[in-house]
């Protein structure tokens, strides 16, 4: 029976919605990885690259301190730990709500990374080490079970036996031996390959569950490129829908692999990103919801383009609006009208406008409102569109001034249903959402109990007396709907 039990992946303190594809950015802190060895070996460079990937659209950063390329030199756990500890610590210091994965086969490394705040253990050896199972059972981390067993070789290329009544009438029937060079099929038979891979992944997932790891913490990865030929890798990728039917989220980790080069004719691993994206989109269409890639920016752009036309995916969101320059209510009204014209986005409801106390260093009262929207855009794409609204209304940001100075309009993306994001460009839900009276009170115009709504979504909400930017008075309704 086909199942799709992957609506939410629980990893550490995070609940990652998988109702849309999620991008995992590869961060190799190694001198010898196959496509980017040495590029991010310096801790500071690695942290900067991680933050860049978050701003490019990565939902997860996968940090690895040991290369597992063919012919790699194993690294002892102490050396691996020395490589990854400052990077994991630095990423979470700069982006505390980031989802960090640790790519390791060493239980000691996984344990220290989880203690530092990593939310996922990506074990290329498939949790075959009882010590790694223990790490998973003693924590709340998400677990990626990968297949890295050498295939048994029982799968063979298929052949056909040809015969005809005319030939049978002239001579006794004999088995027809088809020479290797004339076999009709280009790939090995799928069934024995997938039985072996799916059997291993299912066994290891059950091992984790028997140890106390809940089903919704487990993902599976068929391990492309790990002791598999290019032909076998293609067979496995074509069978992604069968992996999905196991009921665990499927990770697609084909980025820049050798077989990607074999089918695309690109010898240089670093130039295989376009072919990688092609395979990623095919996997997503088959039901994979986590894609592990090196080129986050291009992959995110491709996935956003594909998803926008392939899958209707409207989500509830809230945009906080503020103005303290000129005709403030008119500025709010014009902003709502412009938001309503953003592609794949519509305004559903708008609160009344409120006069609120200055906050965050601003020295004049502010007119605030909140718009409830439905959007099918990726949050980073929507944020760019909101910055476009500010630009059209001649907002000028001055980083030298508190709150970036006076504003004709300020558009804060405060909340999007099912979205959690971390980065320097955008954090969702907005990190100060629960302390802002000038957002929480207007939201009462849009729903019965915004405090309960937000707390149910995992947003801590301050008591009214502890908030900032208290509402002083009502300024009236916004006439935002076009005639």
């Amino acid at each position: 029976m086909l199942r799709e039990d992957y609506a939410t992946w629980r990893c550490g303190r995070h609940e990652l919605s998988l109702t849309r594809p999620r991008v995992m950015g590869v961060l190799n802190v190694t001198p010898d990885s196959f496509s980017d060895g040495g590029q991010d070996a310096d801790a500071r460079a690695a942290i900067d690259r991680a933050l860049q990937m978050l701003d490019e659209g990565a939902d997860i950063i996968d940090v690895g301190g040991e290369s597992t390329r063919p012919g790699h030199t194993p690294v002892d756990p102490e050396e691996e730990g020395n490589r990854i500890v400052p990077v994991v610590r630095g990423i979470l210091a700069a982006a505390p709500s980031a989802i960090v994965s640790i790519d390791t086969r060493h239980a000691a490394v996984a344990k220290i990374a989880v203690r530092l705040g990593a939310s996922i253990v990506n074990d290329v050896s498939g949790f075959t080490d009882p010590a790694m199972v223990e790490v998973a059972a003693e924590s709340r981390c998400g677990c990626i079970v990968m297949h890295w067993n050498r295939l048994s070789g029982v799968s063979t290329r298929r052949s056909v036996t040809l015969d005809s009544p005319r030939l049978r009438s002239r001579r006794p029937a004999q088995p027809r031996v088809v020479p290797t060079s004339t076999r009709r099929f280009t790939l090995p038979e799928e069934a024995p390959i997938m039985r072996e891979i799916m059997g291993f992944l299912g066994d290891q997932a059950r091992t984790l569950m028997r140890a106390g790891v809940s089903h919704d913490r487990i993902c599976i990865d068929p391990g492309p490129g790990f002791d598999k030929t290019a032909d076998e890798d293609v067979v496995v990728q074509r069978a992604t829908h069968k992996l999905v039917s196991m009921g665990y989220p499927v990770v697609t980790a084909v980025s820049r692999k050798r077989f990607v080069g074999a089918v695309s004719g690109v010898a240089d691993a670093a130039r295989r990103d376009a072919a990688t994206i092609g395979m990623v989109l095919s996997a997503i269409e088959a039901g994979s919801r986590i894609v592990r890639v090196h080129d986050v920016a291009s992959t995110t752009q491709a996935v956003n383009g594909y998803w926008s036309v392939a899958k209707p995916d409207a989500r509830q969101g809230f945009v906080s609006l503020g103005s303290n320059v000129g005709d403030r209510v008119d500025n709010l009204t014009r902003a709502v009208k412009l938001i309503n014209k953003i592609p794949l986005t519509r305004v559903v409801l708008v609160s009344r406008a409120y006069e609120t106390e200055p906050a965050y260093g601003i020295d004049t009262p502010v007119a605030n409102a909140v718009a409830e929207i439905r959007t099918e855009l990726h949050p980073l794409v929507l944020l760019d569109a909101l910055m476009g609204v500010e630009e059209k209304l001649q907002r000028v940001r001055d980083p030298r001034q508190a709150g970036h100075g006076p504003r004709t309009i300020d558009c804060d993306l405060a909340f999007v249903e099912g979205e959690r994001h971390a980065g320097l460009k955008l954090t969702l839900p907005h990190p100060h959402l629960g302390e802002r009276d000038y957002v929480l009170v207007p939201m009462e115009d849009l729903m019965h109990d915004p405090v309960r709504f937000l707390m149910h979504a995992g947003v801590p909400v301050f008591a009214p007396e502890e908030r900032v930017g208290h509402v002083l008075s009502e300024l009236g309704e916004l006439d935002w709907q076009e005639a």
Side-chain angles (χ1 to χ4, degrees):
M1 179 179 177
L2 296 180
R3 299 185 301 165
E4 292 189 354
D5 296 337
Y6 51 65
T8 300
W9 183 19
R10 298 183 187 276
C11 17
R13 66 186 188 279
H14 303 283
E15 293 185 12
L16 184 63
S17 169
L18 298 180
T19 51
R20 73 166 176 84
R22 299 295 175 174
V23 176
M24 173 184 281
V26 178
L27 186 67
N28 288 319
V29 193
T30 59
D32 56 345
S33 293
F34 75 98
S35 76
D36 56 358
Q39 183 173 304
D40 296 311
D42 173 73
R44 185 65 257 172
I47 295 165
D48 290 343
R49 174 60 186 145
L51 297 175
Q52 180 185 13
M53 286 194 288
L54 289 170
D55 285 345
E56 290 172 348
D59 300 284
I60 304 165
I61 302 297
D62 192 38
V63 181
E66 179 188 34
S67 172
T68 49
R69 64 182 296 172
H72 72 282
T73 301
V75 175
D76 66 76
E78 183 177 359
E79 173 61 24
E80 185 183 6
N82 289 337
R83 291 175 179 178
I84 66 99
V85 164
V87 176
V88 173
R89 183 180 285 131
I91 294 170
L92 293 172
S97 57
I99 302 177
V100 175
S101 167
I102 180 66
D103 178 1
T104 185
R105 57 196 178 92
H106 296 126
V109 175
K111 190 170 188 176
I112 192 170
V114 169
R115 285 179 176 175
L116 289 171
S119 302
I120 298 167
V121 174
N122 181 9
D123 183 3
V124 296
S125 62
F127 290 86
T128 52
D129 180 357
M132 190 68 91
V133 175
E134 186 178 344
V135 171
E138 292 178 349
S139 69
R140 297 188 299 153
C141 67
C143 303
I144 300 177
V145 181
M146 199 194 83
H147 177 274
W148 193 6
N149 288 352
R150 186 178 295 276
L151 295 174
S152 64
V154 296
S155 58
T156 60
R157 292 175 182 269
R158 294 175 293 172
S159 61
V160 294
T161 300
L162 302 177
D163 207 344
S164 71
R166 181 174 62 82
L167 291 176
R168 283 199 301 269
S169 66
R170 295 184 180 181
R171 55 182 168 78
Q174 295 180 350
R176 180 182 175 91
V177 178
V178 181
T180 302
S181 61
T182 60
R183 287 178 180 173
R184 270 68 171 176
F185 299 97
T186 60
L187 292 176
E189 188 176 355
E190 176 189 294
I193 294 175
M194 295 311 297
R195 274 198 302 269
E196 189 167 338
I197 292 174
M198 292 170 70
F200 172 85
L201 295 174
D203 287 346
Q204 294 311 112
R206 284 187 288 275
T207 296
L208 286 169
M209 287 189 284
R210 283 194 295 270
V213 177
S214 62
H215 186 287
D216 57 6
R217 288 170 51 194
I218 300 172
C219 289
I220 56 175
D221 175 357
F226 286 82
D227 281 335
K228 299 174 182 69
T229 67
D231 284 352
E232 290 166 339
D233 276 325
V234 172
V235 168
V236 174
Q237 291 308 308
R238 287 182 179 178
T240 297
H241 64 289
K242 294 186 177 179
L243 291 165
V244 171
S245 76
M246 294 177 67
Y248 303 96
V250 173
V251 177
T252 296
V254 299
S255 185
R256 299 180 179 176
K257 295 291 177 71
R258 284 179 301 169
F259 87 99
V260 177
V263 301
S264 63
V266 180
D268 181 4
R271 296 178 57 240
R272 296 173 186 162
D273 291 326
T276 294
I277 288 171
M279 291 191 183
V280 161
L281 296 180
S282 174
I284 291 172
E285 179 63 23
S288 174
R289 286 295 175 267
I290 302 132
V291 295
R292 181 180 182 274
V293 297
H294 296 81
D295 185 352
V296 169
S298 296
T299 302
T300 301
Q301 188 178 117
V303 171
N304 288 345
Y306 162 80
W307 200 251
S308 68
V309 297
K311 308 289 182 179
D313 190 24
R315 297 164 184 268
Q316 181 185 39
F318 295 94
V319 180
S320 171
L321 304 168
S323 175
N324 67 340
V325 173
D327 188 335
R328 299 172 302 163
V329 173
D330 183 62
N331 291 338
L332 298 176
T333 302
R334 291 165 61 199
V336 174
K337 290 181 177 180
L338 289 171
I339 292 170
N340 200 38
K341 293 179 180 179
I342 294 174
L344 277 75
T345 301
R346 288 295 178 268
V347 174
V348 178
L349 291 171
V350 180
S351 73
R352 291 182 286 269
Y354 292 89
E355 181 93 18
T356 66
E357 292 177 341
Y360 304 114
I362 297 173
D363 55 8
T364 57
V366 184
N368 286 104
V370 173
E372 180 182 349
I373 63 171
R374 295 293 184 277
T375 185
E376 296 189 39
L377 295 179
H378 186 287
L380 285 168
V381 178
L382 177 59
L383 178 67
D384 287 339
L386 293 174
M387 295 303 97
V389 170
E390 290 188 0
E391 185 176 347
K392 288 179 181 178
L393 295 181
Q394 300 180 331
R395 163 74 186 272
V396 177
R397 291 178 178 269
D398 186 350
R400 297 169 299 180
Q401 296 190 46
H404 288 177
R407 70 283 307 274
T408 53
I409 194 68
D410 183 43
C411 301
D412 274 342
L413 183 56
F415 181 91
V416 178
E417 176 189 359
E419 294 293 339
R420 306 190 81 84
H421 189 78
L424 301 181
K425 183 176 180 179
L426 172 67
T427 299
L428 276 177
H430 195 288
H432 301 296
L433 175 55
E435 70 181 30
R436 294 183 168 181
D437 200 58
Y438 60 83
V439 177
L440 297 169
V441 171
M443 284 184 69
E444 293 176 1
D445 293 343
L446 308 177
M447 62 175 60
H448 171 64
D449 191 347
V451 171
R452 182 178 179 182
F453 172 86
L454 292 173
M455 293 187 72
H456 180 73
V459 179
V461 178
F462 286 44
E465 63 274 11
E466 297 174 345
R467 299 173 189 171
V468 299
H470 286 94
V471 169
L472 301 173
S473 63
E474 184 183 322
L475 297 176
E477 297 185 355
L478 302 181
D479 185 16
W480 61 274
Q481 298 193 35
E482 303 287 351

